[in-house]
């Protein structure tokens, strides 16, 4: 009896042995799926884990996760983020999602465009004039300003902008402390806890100001109203803001970085998208319309497919669940990889090639991508993150066509978010705008 047949008989997926996961994690996952199909077992971070990938595997997982798979976070994440959305379960999780969703999608998005452009246009103009020494570092600073502006109403170059930037950085650093008991022995953990308290105080003050003078260019007033009568099970708004802010900065920074890298490496697509960018800076409302700026949206979709920010998302089976023909017992550590799913050649021909036109000619649909997860725990911030990315691309392309003087990044890290390991300089080659 083969290993796979024996594993199926006892209800466990086949085990995939790999020595190079840390060196080439995505390659290890792809090899595992080629050998074993949508579901297999592998050691991840020293713990036996059931890996789910390929398009069919992700569809099955997201369809069956409600009530069976819960987000698996460490004690460190619970310490720093408290009762944020991704730490909640059951009805508290569902209620929190209902309260958060209206401010992060739909009708609210067009109102944020002036605030987004208030941040992106000066930055893009500076990049055009002086160039960028390290693209990822610059984009992280930009998405930090964008998230503070939209989620907290903090305008650039104000006193609160300086406070937020100074306090948020040690909070993010604290999230990288050891996840177990060793966290108590590290200074960055305690600095992160102190930053959490200072951020809560800032959020409370900003919330009071938003209620006193509500506006449509920030999500904060709507979020305060949505959580005014929330039960304790839903979690306090400041905890949810911490989760939204770190996702809006870190995940979106990864996505925008790779959008710009691919536009620089494939300038024919940058030139096509530039016409839409010139229109968007004059009539920005087109960026919030699903039927507008098709080339920019195709570039964004292909960047999501090729460069999913998160390599793995962890779950725990809280009841037996069927995945890929195997019965996964309760208590099992489960992980899924959207990156591996997006490289399924049966769904995306030439999966390792940047081909945004696949989303224009009907070969693929951007709405079916999993970069922001799916199912009961799909990221609520996807519409806002995509709007931020479109706004940055429009502002940048309006200034010029991106170019990488040193070439595309050759060394990449995949965790916690996909990013270049070394500095990537970028310049914008100005072009005359047709009148």
């Amino acid at each position: 009896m083969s290993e796979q047949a024996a594993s199926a008989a006892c209800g466990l997926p086949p085990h995939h042995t790999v020595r190079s996961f840390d060196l080439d994690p995505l390659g290890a996952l792809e090899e595992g799926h080629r050998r074993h199909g949508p579901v297999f077992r592998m050691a991840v971070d020293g713990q036996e884990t059931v890996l789910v990938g390929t398009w069919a595997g992700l569809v099955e997982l997201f369809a069956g996760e409600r009530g069976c798979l819960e987000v698996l976070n460490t004690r460190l994440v619970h310490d720093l983020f408290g009762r944020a959305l991704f730490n909640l379960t059951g009805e508290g999780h569902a209620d929190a999602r209902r309260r958060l969703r209206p401010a992060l999608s739909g009708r609210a998005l067009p109102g944020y465009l002036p605030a987004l452009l208030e941040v992106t246009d000066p930055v893009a103009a500076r990049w055009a004039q002086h160039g960028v020494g390290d693209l990822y570092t610059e984009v992280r600073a930009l998405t930090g300003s964008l998230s503070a502006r939209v989620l907290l109403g903090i305008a650039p170059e104000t006193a609160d902008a300086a406070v937020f930037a100074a306090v948020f950085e040690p909070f993010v650093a604290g999230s990288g402390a050891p996840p177990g008991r060793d966290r108590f022995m590290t200074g960055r953990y305690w600095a992160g806890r102190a930053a959490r308290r200072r951020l809560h105080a800032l959020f409370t003050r900003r919330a009071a100001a938003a209620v006193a003078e509500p506006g449509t260019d920030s999500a904060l007033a709507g979020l305060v109203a949505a959580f005014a009568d929330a039960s304790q099970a839903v979690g306090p708004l400041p905890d949810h803001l911490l989760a939204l802010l770190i996702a809006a900065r870190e995940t979106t920074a990864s996505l925008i970085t790779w959008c710009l890298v691919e536009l620089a490496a494939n300038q024919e697509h940058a030139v096509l998208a530039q016409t839409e960018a010139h229109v968007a800076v004059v009539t920005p409302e087109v960026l919030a319309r699903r039927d507008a700026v098709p080339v920019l949206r195709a570039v964004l979709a292909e960047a999501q497919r090729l460069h999913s920010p998160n390599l793995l998302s962890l779950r725990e089976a809280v009841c037996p669940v069927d995945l890929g023909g195997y019965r996964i017992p309760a208590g099992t550590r489960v992980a899924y990889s959207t990156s591996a799913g997006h490289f399924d050649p049966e769904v995306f021909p030439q999966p390792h090639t940047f081909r945004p036109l696949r989303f224009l000619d009907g070969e693929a649909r951007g709405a079916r991508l999993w970069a922001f997860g799916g199912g009961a725990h799909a990221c609520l911030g996807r519409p806002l993150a995509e709007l931020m990315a479109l706004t940055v691309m429009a502002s940048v392309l309006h200034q010029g066509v991106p170019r990488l003087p040193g070439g595309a990044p050759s060394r990449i890290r995949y965790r916690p978010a996909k990013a270049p390991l070394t500095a990537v300089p970028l310049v914008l080659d100005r072009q005359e705008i047709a009148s």
Side-chain angles (χ1 to χ4, degrees):
M1 181 182 294
S2 69
E3 180 188 358
Q4 186 160 352
S7 296
C10 66
L12 293 174
H15 188 274
H16 180 58
T17 302
V18 61
R19 297 179 180 178
S20 61
F21 183 75
D22 291 336
L23 296 176
D24 182 17
L26 184 55
L29 293 173
E30 287 190 273
E31 180 187 7
H33 290 302
R34 281 196 300 271
R35 288 187 179 185
H36 308 296
V39 183
F40 62 90
R41 288 177 295 143
M42 186 175 73
V44 177
D45 300 329
Q47 298 185 56
E48 188 77 353
T49 305
V50 171
L51 275 299
V52 181
T54 75
W55 193 261
L58 292 175
V59 169
E60 183 180 24
L61 182 143
F62 293 136
E65 74 167 340
R66 187 179 299 275
C68 291
L69 295 170
E70 296 291 350
V71 174
L72 181 60
N73 283 328
T74 64
R75 287 308 313 168
L76 171 68
V77 172
H78 284 272
D79 289 352
L80 291 179
F81 291 92
R83 297 187 61 76
L85 181 64
F86 47 55
N87 285 334
L88 298 178
T89 60
E91 183 54 34
H93 175 264
D95 192 8
R97 288 181 67 89
R98 287 192 292 268
R99 293 171 186 272
L100 288 166
R101 183 179 287 108
L104 303 175
S105 59
R107 297 178 183 177
L109 295 182
Y112 303 150
L113 282 165
L116 293 174
L117 289 167
E118 173 190 334
V119 178
T120 60
D121 280 351
V123 171
R126 174 167 54 81
W127 290 1
Q129 184 174 2
H130 302 292
V132 176
D134 182 1
L135 178 61
Y136 182 59
T137 298
E138 287 279 341
V139 171
R140 281 183 80 237
L142 174 56
T143 54
S145 297
L146 287 169
S147 57
R149 181 65 184 87
V150 170
L151 295 172
L152 302 176
I154 298 178
E157 300 183 3
T158 61
D160 274 353
V163 170
F164 175 76
V167 179
F168 195 61
E169 202 58 47
F171 178 79
V172 175
S175 68
R181 293 180 63 86
D182 288 347
R183 69 188 186 277
F184 298 123
M185 304 301 293
T186 61
R188 60 177 168 171
Y189 168 77
W190 295 108
R193 291 288 298 269
R196 167 187 162 85
R197 292 190 293 271
R198 293 182 64 190
L199 287 167
H200 266 232
L202 175 63
F203 298 164
T204 300
R205 179 163 54 79
R206 295 297 309 182
V211 171
E213 296 184 24
T216 60
D217 64 349
S218 166
L220 190 53
L223 289 171
V224 171
F227 279 80
D229 61 348
S231 68
Q232 187 175 359
V234 173
L237 178 57
D239 283 353
H240 294 295
L241 287 171
L242 286 173
L244 292 173
L245 286 162
I246 201 165
R249 191 180 90 160
E250 301 300 324
T251 304
T252 312
S254 173
L255 178 58
I256 292 172
T257 296
W258 293 109
C259 284
L260 296 177
V261 165
E262 291 293 356
L263 284 170
N266 302 273
Q267 292 190 336
E268 68 277 15
H269 298 297
V271 172
L272 283 175
Q274 198 173 42
T275 301
E276 296 178 353
H278 295 327
V279 173
V281 296
V282 179
T283 55
E285 59 270 17
V286 299
L287 295 172
R289 285 172 39 196
R290 287 285 173 185
D291 61 346
V293 292
V295 178
L296 281 170
R297 287 191 174 277
V299 169
L300 174 61
E302 184 70 341
Q304 287 185 49
R305 187 195 67 79
L306 200 56
H307 302 286
S308 293
N310 299 312
L311 177 73
L312 292 174
S313 294
L314 293 173
R315 300 286 187 264
E316 181 180 19
V318 295
C319 66
V321 59
D322 294 323
L323 293 173
Y326 302 99
R327 188 71 167 173
I328 309 301
T332 302
R333 192 174 188 249
V334 178
Y336 71 84
S337 173
T338 58
S339 301
H342 289 164
F343 288 155
D344 188 335
E346 294 186 7
V347 181
F348 300 105
Q350 298 178 267
H352 293 276
T353 303
F354 183 75
R355 292 177 53 226
L357 296 184
R358 74 173 83 231
F359 293 98
L360 293 177
D361 63 12
E363 179 184 304
R365 291 176 52 215
R368 298 187 64 199
L369 294 171
W370 305 117
F372 290 87
H377 298 281
C379 177
L380 285 176
R382 176 178 181 172
L384 178 58
E386 291 181 336
L387 185 63
M388 289 169 63
L390 290 169
T391 305
V392 172
M393 282 196 290
S395 292
V396 167
L397 289 171
H398 181 64
Q399 293 290 338
V401 173
R403 177 168 55 87
L404 304 176
S410 58
R411 298 179 60 216
I412 299 168
R413 73 163 201 222
Y414 288 90
R415 302 165 77 187
K418 185 177 181 180
L421 269 174
T422 55
V424 179
L426 178 139
V427 297
L428 297 179
D429 294 328
R430 291 180 178 270
Q431 296 184 346
E432 293 295 326
I433 301 174
S435 59

